[in-house]
Amino acid sequence: MFNGDLGHTAMVALTRGAPGLKEIGLEVLRPVQPMLAGTAPDVAAALAETGPASVEWKLDGARIQVHRDGDDIAIFTRNLNDITERLPSVAWTVRALPVRRVVLDGESIGLDEDGRPHRFQDTMSRFSRDRREPNGAAAAIGLQAFFFDVLLVDDDDLVDRPLAERLTVLDAIAPTLRLPALTTADPATAEAFAVDAVDAGHEGVMVKSLDSPYQAGRRGGSWRKVKPVRTLDLVVLAAEWGHGRRTGWLSNLHLGARGPDGGFVMVGKTFKGLTDDLLRWQTERLQALAVGTEGHVVHVRPDLVVEVALDGVQASTRYPGGVALRFARVRRYREDKRAADADRIEDVQALLA
């Protein structure tokens, strides 16, 4: 997780053993795998796992890791790709901090004049369009950086320190770049803060144990993400024959919302959330509704309503309704509903706001 080179790590293990491996650690300008979060259904459940926690706004932006060594700046994505040249305004901001060396973990996001977040796809498109004004300030169309963790300051490696200590350091060196956050163990206080985050246009909150070290590359229980679950009732328009362990089952569902003319407008696909029992049932049911086949796609009579959970929608030219589902997953089939009861395309489009 810290070396970034599996081959070199294996060589160290073979030639120098455990003592050599223990010497591998955080190195400025070399990216590390970011610490990841588990999920929780609500803030009360998250706090039950973490105890007293830092509750922070969860932005729908792009994860960034920023390294500084003197005037040298390197910015990396979650996948450890170097994007320094694409984010000059972020580099300038970190270069202005009152430190000599630093490694920061955070998020880059576009905000409008009222401080509300741009859509995720707009933020991602700006990765290649951010620029710097003559005075060094971020351009109006550019991205802003917000940080929620610090792994190193000058010669002080903070990775194994508890989060509470790391946040104290972060507050001291970059108070204006901190994500909105509060420290609490009270579910009611945390829930009110989460509601404010969603009202401000953000995804939800992160709940992080104050005792947690920075576990590079791990998705443990000490960090939990809590997002309100959006659901839609959509109609199955078609399904694709699966492959691998899903060979012989109709798996990937084509989903449609109710159109203004009484038809259905496709808004996305998903194969997530399907248990083996559900795959068996839906394969039999959809074959009974089949009206035609096109390659590996079986088109069906639009009778079945399925409830899907999703993280929102994004603008899309791929589908005629102009929107596409984000991270849709099946929750259940709604046999109590008719296709005429499905959500309208206008309901789906409204989630773009």
Side-chain angles (χ1 to χ4, degrees):
M1 299 304 177
F2 285 100
N3 189 33
D5 186 333
L6 184 59
H8 179 259
T9 303
M11 182 60 69
V12 171
L14 286 169
T15 59
R16 299 174 56 200
L21 292 175
K22 288 181 180 179
E23 293 178 5
I24 297 175
L26 179 64
E27 182 178 314
V28 182
L29 302 181
R30 183 178 68 191
V32 303
Q33 296 285 347
M35 184 171 176
L36 304 174
T39 59
D42 52 53
V43 290
L47 286 171
E49 294 287 337
T50 64
S54 174
V55 183
E56 306 164 357
W57 283 11
K58 186 180 188 312
L59 307 186
D60 193 14
R63 185 86 173 260
I64 56 171
Q65 184 181 129
V66 185
H67 293 234
R68 175 185 170 190
D69 188 357
D71 287 334
D72 293 331
I73 301 287
I75 306 173
F76 303 97
T77 67
R78 172 174 170 159
N79 295 326
L80 311 188
N81 297 317
D82 190 328
I83 55 167
T84 309
E85 294 302 317
R86 297 189 225 167
L87 297 177
S89 61
V90 175
W92 179 87
T93 298
V94 173
R95 194 175 283 115
L97 295 178
V99 295
R100 178 171 48 86
R101 302 166 76 234
V102 71
V103 177
L104 297 161
D105 193 0
E107 200 90 2
S108 185
I109 192 170
L111 301 174
D112 64 20
E113 293 180 355
D114 297 322
R116 295 188 66 82
H118 294 153
R119 291 177 297 187
F120 176 75
Q121 65 190 118
D122 294 334
T123 289
M124 296 307 294
S125 71
R126 287 185 174 86
F127 260 47
S128 61
R129 292 191 287 118
D130 196 11
R131 55 188 172 83
R132 190 170 56 181
E133 299 293 351
N135 64 358
I141 64 166
L143 300 174
Q144 298 185 39
F146 295 90
F147 297 107
F148 48 74
D149 217 326
V150 56
L151 282 61
L152 176 144
V153 171
D154 293 330
D155 296 320
D156 196 2
D157 187 330
L158 307 173
V159 167
D160 292 326
R161 306 275 186 87
L163 176 64
E165 289 187 27
R166 302 199 305 275
L167 293 180
T168 297
V169 173
L170 185 57
D171 281 334
I173 64 169
T176 62
L177 302 179
R178 276 290 311 276
L179 276 177
L182 60 80
T183 298
T184 186
D186 178 54
T189 301
E191 178 61 31
F193 185 76
V195 170
D196 288 343
V198 174
D199 287 346
H202 300 292
E203 281 196 309
V205 292
M206 300 289 295
V207 180
K208 301 177 180 178
S209 169
L210 293 174
D211 296 329
S212 59
Y214 193 90
Q215 298 174 299
R218 297 183 183 176
R219 189 187 300 276
S222 55
W223 285 16
R224 297 283 183 171
K225 54 187 173 184
V226 181
K227 300 189 291 185
V229 177
R230 295 184 175 96
T231 63
L232 290 170
D233 291 330
L234 301 172
V235 173
V236 179
L237 305 178
E240 300 173 13
W241 288 107
H243 52 83
R245 68 174 302 273
R246 291 192 176 188
T247 298
W249 288 338
L250 285 171
S251 177
N252 201 18
L253 300 175
H254 296 202
L255 304 169
R258 188 157 43 94
D261 59 356
F264 298 93
V265 182
M266 188 171 174
V267 291
K269 303 178 184 181
T270 189
F271 55 84
K272 298 183 182 298
L274 295 167
T275 64
D276 287 356
D277 286 342
L278 199 53
L279 282 164
R280 293 188 189 97
W281 178 87
Q282 96 177 7
T283 298
E284 181 178 346
R285 189 77 176 88
L286 292 174
Q287 284 183 293
L289 295 173
V291 295
T293 300
E294 186 179 352
H296 67 292
V297 179
V298 176
H299 297 275
V300 300
R301 193 167 67 246
D303 284 356
L304 286 182
V305 177
V306 64
E307 180 183 305
V308 298
L310 60 151
D311 287 2
V313 300
Q314 62 187 32
S316 172
T317 58
R318 182 176 183 180
Y319 300 119
V323 291
L325 308 179
R326 288 187 60 203
F327 305 114
R329 56 268 184 201
V330 172
R331 298 190 75 183
R332 56 175 173 158
Y333 275 91
R334 297 298 304 266
E335 295 189 87
D336 58 323
K337 286 195 171 186
R338 300 170 302 140
D341 299 322
D343 284 304
R344 303 170 304 155
I345 184 61
E346 293 87 351
D347 300 324
V348 183
Q349 292 166 337
L351 296 178
L352 276 174

